[in-house]
């Protein structure tokens, strides 16, 4: 029998809204839903959380509420990226005063020459840092491997979340994988191939809806995951096509949030 080695499932959570305000009731139900299904952590104010449409006040409000209910029950990753450097600094300052497991920074978001800015933000953070790579919000730019090699050796930078949907890039990225620099896959359709490659964990948006199913994949031997994927191919195809609006609609159907409103 293949070795059984559990991987992490971190869920990049949606930001529920009701009448254009943060839906704290829905947020609490969502966190309870994820805890009951034993996910390892949440990633708030990422792309799925529509960070680019939320004010710093809203971001802090969501974090405060999650800390209240989920601190010491699951890992908490906080997306601190913004096109305004000052806002990044202020959010990191706030995180420095609280116990979070990592701040997540997208070096090239809003700035194709954002490497120097990243240096400063890492220095400013007391908490560990995860690098978030997503060319779709980086004007198509990819992080170069020289940058990744440098920061993979930094004691404060503990991981890398890739949402490039580029398996050639991801295969090259995996050579930097180690216990103190963990690599996370952010695309559903690559679950099986990247578990085989030894990815440390999954950061999957549809974990908002199907945490139990996705958690299953993180602790089964890869051969068993493969056969389970074959059995559930139809539902996984649906998962891979989902987007923020569809996720919110499904959560409304499940009675977890009250509205599928998107941030503007």
């Amino acid at each position: 029998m293949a070795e059984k080695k559990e991987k992490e499932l971190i869920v990049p959570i949606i930001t529920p809204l009701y009448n254009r305000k943060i839906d704290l009731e829905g947020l609490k139900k969502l966190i309870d839903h994820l805890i009951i299904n034993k996910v390892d952590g949440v990633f708030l104010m990422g792309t799925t959380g529509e960070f680019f449409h939320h004010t710093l006040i809203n971001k802090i409000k969501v974090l405060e509420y999650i800390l209240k209910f989920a601190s010491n029950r699951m890992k908490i990753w906080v997306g601190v990226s913004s096109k305004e450097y000052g806002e990044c600094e202020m959010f990191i300052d706030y995180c420095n005063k609280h116990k979070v497991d990592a701040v997540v920074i997208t070096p090239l978001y809003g700035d194709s020459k954002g490497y120097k800015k990243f240096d400063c933000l890492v220095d400013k953070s007391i908490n560990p840092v995860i690098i978030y790579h997503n060319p779709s919000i980086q004007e198509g730019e990819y992080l170069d491997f020289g940058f990744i090699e440098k920061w993979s050796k930094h004691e404060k930078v503990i991981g890398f979340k890739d949402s490039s949907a580029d398996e050639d890039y991801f295969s090259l990225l995996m050579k930097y994988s180690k216990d103190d620099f963990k690599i996370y896959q952010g695309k559903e359709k690559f679950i099986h191939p990247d578990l085989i490659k030894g990815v440390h964990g999954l950061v999957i948006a549809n974990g908002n809806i199907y945490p139990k199913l996705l958690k299953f994949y993180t602790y089964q031997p890869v051969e068993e995951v493969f056969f389970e994927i074959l059995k559930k191919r139809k539902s996984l195809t649906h998962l891979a096509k989902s987007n923020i609006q569809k996720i919110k609609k499904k959560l409304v159907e499940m009675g977890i949030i009250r509205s599928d409103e998107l941030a503007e």
Side-chain angles (χ1 to χ4, degrees):
M1 182 179 287
E3 180 185 0
K4 190 171 181 178
K5 189 174 181 181
E6 186 170 352
K7 311 294 186 178
E8 287 184 299
L9 173 62
I10 306 293
V11 177
I13 59 171
I14 56 101
T15 305
L17 300 173
Y18 189 67
N19 291 332
R20 298 186 178 183
K21 296 180 181 179
I22 302 294
D23 179 10
L24 296 178
E25 177 185 331
L27 184 59
K28 172 66 165 54
K29 286 184 178 179
L30 177 60
I31 295 300
D32 286 343
H33 165 64
L34 298 177
I35 289 173
I36 289 168
N37 285 287
K38 300 180 179 179
V39 307
D40 298 287
V42 292
F43 168 24
L44 63 103
M45 288 299 160
T47 307
T48 304
E50 304 171 274
F51 77 93
F52 31 76
H53 289 310
H54 285 289
T55 64
L56 180 59
I57 291 173
N58 272 357
K59 292 176 182 180
I60 288 174
K61 189 173 188 177
V62 170
L63 176 55
E64 281 182 336
Y65 206 70
I66 290 175
L67 287 169
K68 180 179 178 181
F69 289 104
S71 186
N72 299 318
R73 301 175 73 191
M74 56 171 32
K75 291 185 178 181
I76 299 173
W77 292 7
V78 185
V80 297
S81 295
S82 170
K83 288 185 177 180
E84 300 297 328
Y85 179 72
E87 183 175 304
C88 294
E89 285 192 307
M90 286 188 283
F91 202 12
I92 285 177
D93 280 339
Y94 183 84
C95 291
N96 284 343
K97 298 172 184 175
H98 298 81
K99 183 182 178 183
V100 301
D101 294 278
V103 295
V104 183
I105 303 173
T106 311
L108 296 181
Y109 176 65
D111 184 359
S112 62
K113 299 179 181 179
Y115 293 137
K116 184 175 181 180
K117 178 173 70 175
F118 181 78
D119 290 19
C120 296
L121 294 175
V122 172
D123 286 344
K124 191 169 190 62
S125 179
I126 293 172
N127 295 299
V129 174
I130 301 279
I131 299 170
Y132 179 24
H133 177 241
N134 187 345
S136 71
I137 60 170
Q138 296 166 187
E139 299 184 355
E141 294 279 340
Y142 278 62
L143 288 169
D144 69 61
F145 289 109
F147 173 88
I148 295 167
E149 181 176 16
K150 170 187 172 181
W151 289 103
S152 70
K153 299 172 183 176
H154 194 286
E155 62 181 1
K156 199 183 292 181
V157 181
I158 63 169
F160 190 105
K161 188 244 179 178
D162 182 54
S163 291
S164 67
D166 183 330
E167 272 296 89
D168 291 335
Y169 182 91
F170 194 85
S171 294
L172 293 171
L173 174 65
M174 282 300 295
K175 80 174 188 176
Y176 301 102
S177 174
K178 51 186 179 174
D179 288 342
D180 59 359
F181 188 74
K182 297 180 178 181
I183 307 296
Y184 297 86
Q185 175 57 268
K187 294 297 181 182
E188 286 87 346
K189 66 180 179 179
F190 297 123
I191 289 173
H192 181 246
D194 291 339
L195 285 172
I196 290 175
K197 290 173 185 172
V199 68
H200 283 93
L202 307 174
V203 186
I204 303 294
N206 280 291
N208 285 275
I209 309 170
Y210 304 109
K212 187 174 182 179
L213 173 64
L214 290 167
K215 185 61 184 173
F216 170 84
Y217 297 140
T218 68
Y219 63 78
Q220 294 298 321
V222 291
E223 290 87 349
E224 292 184 28
V225 170
F226 175 69
F227 289 117
E228 191 68 18
I229 287 174
L230 286 179
K231 287 194 296 182
K232 292 186 169 73
R233 184 177 296 276
K234 186 174 180 180
S235 63
L236 284 173
T237 300
H238 170 72
L239 283 181
K241 292 180 179 178
S242 291
N243 57 30
I244 299 169
Q245 183 88 73
K246 290 180 180 178
I247 291 170
K248 287 190 172 185
K249 283 182 181 295
K250 185 65 176 179
L251 290 171
V252 171
E253 291 174 14
M254 295 167 68
I256 293 174
I257 64 175
R258 295 183 285 175
S259 168
D260 64 356
E261 289 179 46
L262 295 176
E264 298 177 352

